[in-house]
Amino acid sequence: MRGALRPLLGLTIAAALGLGLPATTASAAVTASGTSAATAGVATAETWHWGPTASTDTKGWAGGVIRSTGSGLRISGDLYDAGGARTCSWLKIKWLTDRGRYRVATFKNCSRSSPLSFRVNAGYMLSSQAKVCRGTSVRITGRCSGWDGVWSQGG
């Protein structure tokens, strides 16, 4: 039964496309990144979500999105701080460039009332990792998470 329906299905699709009827299944398809296939003719940014990554005392955490841009990849997100007095949350993002060098960006948030939004233009990178630590307003003092993989080329 199934084998007999396949040629009919193929003929039906071919007839619909030949007559210029809209193919509703193709326009309603959604890719893994959440973008519609109807906009496939327009260059759309791919998006990957990462996080949450938390410090070992869970008083600081971060999460965000990686988007493709015309000049590579952009890492963005929010850093949260739920700690006590005179403490801050720190985020270190490390990425490996396409030229084989590691780059690091560091952000701190000492405000318990609002998250800190951050953005890093990482360019063409091969992989990236993030670590959330606790510290003072001047430096990281400890309670760091391990390096969590944020993104890597090829999955």
Side-chain angles (χ1 to χ4, degrees):
M1 179 79 180
R2 180 184 280 178
L5 290 178
R6 284 187 183 157
L8 292 176
L9 182 62
L11 290 174
T12 305
I13 292 174
L17 292 176
L19 294 174
L21 297 176
T24 57
T25 58
S27 65
V30 175
T31 62
S33 63
T35 59
S36 172
T39 60
V42 178
T44 58
E46 292 190 57
T47 303
W48 298 271
H49 296 274
W50 64 275
T53 300
S55 61
T56 56
D57 64 356
T58 66
K59 291 186 178 183
W61 65 96
V65 176
I66 297 180
R67 287 190 175 91
S68 63
T69 64
S71 61
L73 297 172
R74 175 180 294 147
I75 304 169
S76 61
D78 294 317
L79 174 61
Y80 296 88
D81 181 41
R86 295 185 306 257
T87 60
C88 301
S89 295
W90 290 76
L91 171 68
K92 289 183 91 171
I93 297 176
K94 175 173 72 170
W95 67 94
L96 178 63
T97 67
D98 58 344
R99 297 185 179 200
R101 294 186 178 176
Y102 278 100
R103 300 286 185 230
V104 176
T106 305
F107 302 94
K108 73 174 176 179
N109 183 9
C110 298
S111 171
R112 293 184 305 258
S113 60
S114 62
L116 170 77
S117 295
F118 62 89
R119 181 174 63 197
V120 177
N121 291 322
Y124 297 104
M125 65 178 173
L126 301 176
S127 66
S128 61
Q129 300 171 326
K131 177 196 293 196
V132 177
C133 300
R134 302 290 292 154
T136 64
S137 62
V138 179
R139 65 184 177 93
I140 296 172
T141 58
R143 297 189 190 99
C144 294
S145 66
W147 285 106
D148 288 337
V150 172
W151 184 87
S152 66
Q153 186 176 20

